[in-house]
């Protein structure tokens, strides 16, 4: 029996204005309101009701691909979806429940709260991201997660140790992130420096590339034949196949958004593969429950699926880019500016948190973990509830600065970077009496970040697009007015 697992990673960079919590209209996404809405309509919603055609091109049935595929969705996207696309959100939750009934293990994987490159975080920040992510998963899917998806599949030993310490039993990686991986796509076992164990599933990279960038989505049946290993044939091949896993992992927007009707190819493939007698269409957790990872592997660390240089794409000019005519000399100084700002904000949180929460015998780190862990926005009783809320929101905004999107693209002046700077401005607005001095140092650091052409800097972008120039109530009113224009 061979296992076939298709993993779908659902993520959109949070586009909500940090002050309003709403997304401004993006005209280039028309007819949709914004890009998140566009991808939801063309991919996420389409995957929940994908048409399977008969030989004459008539719709034979409509299937929920999430019920047959492994998937993860970032908590920030799920929060948007629960509000803006409740039917798709309900489909994800129902698919997890249906897969538990069918396989004994749900299709959904947890995701850290923010789409952060975990190896770039301190252990403390890793812990918070993982705890918030697990708590969000528990609230939405009503169970403990078996696996967790790491953004950009970026891992190092500490990341895996933190996952394992929180009961996560597996994650998914690209094959180049492992050495000595067992044959046949079977999971390897990683023993962490902290003395814990976690299973690592390497997906089939050539196949994933063929799905994402090649022509495989033009023909679901041909794809099914490939997944099922039908060309091998014969009893010997079946023996060799016993316990093997053919898995594909891509971003979910591959289906529908990047490739029109890709969701139909996926649905057709899943149906055709499920009809094969020696194939089981299932999820990673079900595979692992039947056949635990017993072969030790070596980890290439830090590493990720989208940067051959490790995790450099999110901090240096490593050479990763889409357009060779662009320069990424801005990456390292932007990372340095953000790291310095985060250092200052985190020190304030630690110091004032120890003072305020310490009066109640509480550790500020534990208070932060509980903030989005035990419920949403839980602030413990203190003598100054506004101060307490400010500190926690500031720390939350500080963590949001780690969202990967700002560093991934080619150029400095992009929506992702502007959003990062707006979250920085929001964090600074919560930074108390020292905020003007902290902001001056931040802008000075941003002025060392060159934009293309050399005429502007990240400091200019911050002042023009992020720093609040008007009192908050006026900004709020203007923002609401902008949102309501059709
Ligand atoms: Zn790179």
């Amino acid at each position: 029996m061979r296992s076939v697992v298709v993993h779908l990673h659902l993520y959109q960079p949070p586009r909500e204005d940090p002050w309003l919590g709403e997304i401004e209209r993006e005209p280039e996404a028309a007819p949709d309101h914004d890009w998140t809405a566009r991808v939801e309509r063309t991919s996420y919603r389409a995957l929940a009701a994908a048409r399977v055609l008969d030989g004459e091109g008539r719709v034979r049935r409509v299937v929920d691909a999430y019920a047959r595929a492994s998937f993860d969705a970032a908590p920030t996207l799920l929060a948007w979806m629960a509000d803006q696309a409740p039917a798709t959100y309900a489909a994800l939750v129902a698919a997890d429940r249906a897969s538990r009934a069918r396989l004994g293990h749900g299709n959904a994987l947890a995701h850290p709260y923010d789409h952060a490159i975990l190896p770039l975080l301190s252990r403390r920040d890793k812990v918070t991201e993982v705890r918030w992510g697990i708590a969000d998963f528990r609230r939405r899917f009503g169970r403990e997660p078996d696996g967790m998806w790491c953004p950009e599949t970026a891992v190092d030993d500490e990341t895996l140790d933190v996952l394992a310490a929180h009961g996560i039993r597996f994650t998914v990686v690209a094959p180049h992130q492992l050495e000595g991986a067992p044959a046949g796509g079977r999971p390897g076992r990683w023993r962490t420096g902290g003395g814990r164990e976690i299973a690592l599933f390497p997906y089939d990279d050539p196949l994933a590339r063929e799905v994402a960038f090649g022509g495989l989505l033009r023909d679901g049946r041909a794809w099914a034949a490939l997944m099922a290993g039908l060309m091998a044939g014969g009893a010997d091949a079946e023996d060799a196949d016993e316990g093997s896993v053919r898995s594909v992992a891509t971003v979910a927007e591959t289906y529908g958004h990047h490739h029109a009707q890709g969701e139909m190819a996926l649905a057709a493939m899943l149906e055709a593969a499920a009809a094969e007698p020696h194939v089981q269409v299932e999820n990673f957790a079900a595979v692992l429950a039947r056949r635990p990872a017993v072969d030790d592997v070596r980890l290439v660390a830090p590493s990720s699926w989208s940067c051959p240089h490790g995790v450099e794409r999110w901090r240096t000019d490593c050479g990763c880019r889409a357009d060779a005519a662009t320069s990424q000399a801005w990456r390292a100084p932007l990372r340095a500016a953000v790291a310095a700002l985060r250092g200052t904000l985190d020190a304030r949180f630690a110091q004032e948190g120890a003072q305020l929460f310490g009066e109640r015998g509480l550790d500020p780190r534990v208070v932060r973990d509980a903030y989005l862990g035990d419920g949403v926005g839980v602030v413990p009783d203190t003598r100054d509830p506004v101060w307490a809320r400010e500190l926690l929101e500031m720390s939350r905004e500080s963590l949001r600065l780690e969202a990967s999107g700002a560093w991934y693209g080619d150029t400095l002046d992009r929506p992702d970077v502007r959003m990062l700077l707006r979250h920085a401005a929001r964090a600074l607005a919560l930074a108390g009496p020292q905020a003007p001095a902290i902001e001056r140092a931040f802008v000075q650091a941003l002025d060392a970040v060159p934009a293309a052409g050399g005429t502007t800097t990240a400091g200019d972008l911050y002042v023009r697009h992020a720093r609040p120039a008007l009192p908050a109530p006026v900004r709020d009113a203007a923002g609401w007015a902008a949102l309501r224009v059709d």
Side-chain angles (χ1 to χ4, degrees):
M1 184 71 75
R2 157 178 280 184
S3 299
V4 162
V5 181
V6 175
H7 184 80
L8 308 167
H9 169 51
L10 283 72
Y11 174 67
Q12 289 297 303
R15 298 183 162 94
E16 289 84 355
D17 178 276
W19 273 273
L20 301 172
E22 300 277 341
I23 302 180
E24 289 173 34
R25 182 176 293 283
E26 295 178 310
E28 61 279 21
D32 298 285
H33 180 271
D34 55 75
W35 284 109
T36 305
R38 164 72 76 94
V39 174
E40 190 281 320
R41 177 173 61 81
T42 55
S43 278
Y44 304 157
R45 194 188 312 173
L47 282 163
R51 290 163 293 163
V52 176
L53 307 182
D54 64 14
E56 265 98 60
R58 288 181 301 242
V59 177
R60 189 152 52 83
R61 80 183 74 174
V62 174
V63 302
D64 178 356
Y66 298 115
R68 297 265 169 191
S70 169
F71 65 88
D72 73 275
T76 48
L77 175 63
L78 286 172
W80 176 90
M81 218 182 249
D83 192 38
Q84 299 290 322
T88 305
Y89 177 82
L92 289 176
V93 174
D96 184 64
R97 201 177 307 123
S99 59
R100 279 161 73 194
R102 183 169 72 91
L103 301 166
H105 300 271
N107 283 348
L109 272 67
H111 186 290
Y113 196 83
D114 296 295
H115 198 271
I117 303 303
L118 295 176
L120 294 180
L121 303 188
S122 66
R123 186 173 184 106
R124 181 93 284 281
D125 284 350
K126 287 184 178 80
V127 166
T128 300
E129 284 289 347
V130 167
R131 286 193 183 167
W132 286 0
I134 289 174
D136 192 80
F137 183 92
R138 201 182 285 132
R139 276 193 294 274
R140 298 184 188 284
F141 293 97
R143 66 177 177 91
E144 295 298 319
D146 298 303
M148 176 173 271
W149 179 265
C150 295
E152 306 285 349
T153 76
V155 292
D156 61 359
D157 178 63
E158 190 175 74
T159 298
L160 296 174
D161 192 57
V162 169
L163 261 56
H166 289 86
I168 298 297
R169 293 167 44 241
F170 72 90
T171 191
V172 184
V173 294
H176 70 256
Q177 296 180 260
L178 299 182
E179 285 173 3
R186 295 171 180 86
R189 176 173 59 189
W190 175 249
R191 298 171 188 269
T192 73
R196 300 179 173 91
E197 283 184 12
I198 187 167
L200 303 174
F201 278 96
Y203 64 84
D204 187 323
D205 190 50
L207 210 49
R209 285 178 190 277
E210 198 53 34
V211 168
F213 311 113
L216 219 41
L217 291 188
R218 282 197 288 272
D219 186 348
R221 283 170 194 282
W223 183 15
L226 215 52
M227 294 294 276
L230 294 182
M231 353 15 170
D236 291 350
E238 273 169 37
D239 285 349
D241 258 6
E242 188 56 38
S244 74
V245 187
R246 181 150 292 190
S247 61
V248 173
T250 65
V251 294
E253 68 217 61
T254 299
Y255 307 95
H257 182 65
H258 293 321
H259 297 283
Q261 301 183 336
E263 81 285 0
M264 293 173 64
L266 174 61
M269 185 282 283
L270 291 170
E271 273 223 330
E276 291 297 328
H278 304 298
V279 170
Q280 168 95 320
V281 176
E282 54 184 337
N283 60 43
F284 294 115
V287 172
L288 195 61
R290 210 168 49 247
R291 288 173 173 270
V294 291
D295 299 304
D296 289 321
V297 288
R298 288 180 301 284
L299 191 66
V300 177
S303 58
S304 65
W305 74 350
S306 46
C307 170
H309 318 98
V311 294
E312 295 306 308
R313 185 167 194 153
W314 300 276
R315 62 178 170 188
T316 66
D317 184 2
C318 66
C320 283
R321 56 190 167 183
D323 180 354
T326 57
S327 160
Q328 286 73 49
W330 53 270
R331 272 193 201 141
L334 182 65
R335 172 58 76 175
V338 168
L341 174 63
R342 291 205 62 218
T344 308
L345 298 174
D346 294 352
R348 176 176 185 251
F349 179 79
Q351 194 187 351
E352 297 186 21
Q355 200 182 330
L356 182 63
F357 303 122
E359 290 173 0
R360 305 300 302 259
L362 298 169
D363 181 336
R365 294 170 299 186
V366 175
V367 173
R368 185 176 78 164
D369 287 346
Y371 187 49
L372 295 188
D374 297 348
V376 179
V378 174
V379 182
D381 276 340
T382 60
R383 68 180 153 83
D384 191 335
V386 173
W387 187 17
R389 171 76 70 180
E390 256 185 19
L391 285 175
L392 285 161
E393 274 298 305
M394 182 192 70
S395 190
R396 183 184 174 184
E397 290 289 348
S398 171
L399 268 175
R400 296 184 84 134
L401 303 183
E402 294 290 346
S404 67
W407 282 274
Y408 187 83
D410 284 359
T411 55
L412 178 69
D413 191 2
R414 281 177 298 116
D416 283 324
V417 176
R418 291 187 187 192
M419 191 54 86
L420 165 86
L421 296 175
R422 288 162 88 177
H423 279 289
R426 167 98 174 122
L428 282 161
L430 297 160
Q434 297 304 314
I438 303 171
E439 188 185 48
R440 269 196 302 280
F442 182 52
V443 173
Q444 204 171 16
L446 289 178
D447 276 333
V449 186
T455 51
T456 56
T457 67
D460 297 327
L461 292 181
Y462 177 81
V463 170
R464 274 189 283 129
H465 300 292
R467 176 198 267 163
L470 296 166
V474 179
R475 278 200 316 278
D476 283 1
W480 278 107
L483 288 171
R484 278 150 196 258
V485 169
D486 279 318

